[in-house]
Amino acid sequence: SQQGEEDPQALSIQEGENATMNCSYKTSINNLQWYRQNSGRGLVHLILIRSNEREKHSGRLRVTLDTSKKSSSLLITASRAADTASYFCATDSGGSNYKLTFGKGTLLTVNP
Amino acid sequence: DTAVSQTPKYLVTQMGNDKSIKCEQNLGHDTMYWYKQDSKKFLKIMFSYNNKELIINETVPNRFSPKSPDKAHLNLHINSLELGDSAVYFCASSPQDSRHGYTFGSGTRLTVV
């Protein structure tokens, strides 16, 4: 079953602008992760935020998590054409087996 | 060195055929997965193995049979292929605990004609 829903489905911006993508989920989580997928490639892990964390940074990436609203956002600052990709959130709901449930993704296009 | 490698990268086959996809990881991870990505890019887990033991088996037709000869390998065999099986199949691996993300292979694009 689908857990995460990304918003917007597609986003087009100019190089240098910031890009914000949102993810909402339905059940309680152990952690939430963001992945990038370039066209025709596999997914690449970007960042993981635990349920007891509210914000995390990694380079130009900033992730926030609001467990009361069951939502997360991914901010990419000073975007580059190379950031063009699909971005997925994925949730781990805990339990005895580690299993990620992915959302449908946001297609980000950064225009030079 | 590729961390998670899948073969083949592309697979075109006729309905009714049987095919296999192979996956190998050299990261020393305990857990491996198969995910299916449909034409709308939706990713759905199919199977998960931990140290050669099947631990997750989502609602997948029994035409799909995973096999893990050792913890570094997870293969997927598909019998009697159908048009609806056309998708990109991704292998992934991770440590057993959930403090780390998955490492994905580059995918196998299966087209059933």
Side-chain angles (χ1 to χ4, degrees):
Chain A
S1 62
Q2 186 181 334
Q3 169 76 308
E5 288 270 358
E6 285 91 340
D7 167 53
Q9 289 189 341
L11 180 61
S12 182
I13 59 174
Q14 295 300 122
E15 218 168 14
E17 294 180 340
N18 295 342
T20 300
M21 289 159 269
N22 303 298
C23 169
S24 60
Y25 57 90
K26 296 172 185 170
T27 64
S28 62
I29 60 169
N30 188 36
N31 66 62
L32 184 144
Q33 304 175 27
W34 286 90
Y35 288 77
R36 182 187 74 231
Q37 184 180 32
N38 290 88
S39 180
R41 309 289 287 271
L43 283 81
V44 174
H45 179 253
L46 295 176
I47 197 164
L48 180 153
I49 186 165
R50 295 189 182 84
S51 59
N52 62 354
E53 297 175 314
R54 292 296 165 256
E55 189 170 312
K56 206 159 181 182
H57 297 256
S58 176
R60 294 184 295 113
L61 305 180
R62 173 178 168 249
V63 169
T64 61
L65 179 64
D66 186 335
T67 52
S68 67
K69 294 181 180 177
K70 292 187 169 58
S71 67
S72 172
S73 66
L74 171 68
L75 169 67
I76 304 175
T77 59
S79 64
R80 305 166 182 167
D83 295 329
T84 294
S86 291
Y87 291 82
F88 294 86
C89 69
T91 52
D92 167 37
S93 299
S96 55
N97 297 320
Y98 179 19
K99 178 180 90 169
L100 288 180
T101 303
F102 286 81
K104 290 184 177 178
T106 293
L107 176 59
L108 172 67
T109 303
V110 181
N111 301 299
Chain B
D1 286 342
T2 305
V4 180
S5 58
Q6 302 179 222
T7 54
K9 191 169 174 63
Y10 300 98
L11 190 50
V12 180
T13 187
Q14 290 189 324
M15 279 174 56
N17 283 351
D18 303 338
K19 290 293 177 187
S20 292
I21 307 171
K22 295 186 175 182
C23 180
E24 176 181 2
Q25 56 98 0
N26 61 6
L27 297 166
H29 288 164
D30 291 316
T31 310
M32 295 184 73
Y33 312 83
W34 279 110
Y35 276 78
K36 178 181 179 180
Q37 187 173 45
D38 63 22
S39 58
K40 295 183 180 178
K41 292 206 165 183
F42 178 51
L43 272 155
K44 186 169 167 55
I45 190 167
M46 300 173 69
F47 302 104
S48 172
Y49 271 74
N50 182 264
N51 207 4
K52 302 193 298 177
E53 181 186 348
L54 179 66
I55 56 171
I56 294 174
N57 184 349
E58 295 289 300
T59 309
V60 177
N62 58 14
R63 299 181 294 103
F64 290 78
S65 53
K67 280 194 173 59
S68 181
D70 56 60
K71 78 171 196 177
H73 295 84
L74 179 60
N75 304 322
L76 183 65
H77 188 76
I78 315 170
N79 289 326
S80 304
L81 278 155
E82 300 176 358
L83 292 176
D85 297 333
S86 295
V88 182
Y89 292 84
F90 285 100
C91 177
S93 72
S94 75
Q96 190 173 348
D97 69 84
S98 61
R99 292 174 295 168
H100 307 274
Y102 288 5
T103 302
F104 279 84
S106 57
T108 295
R109 181 174 292 279
L110 171 65
T111 304
V112 183
V113 297

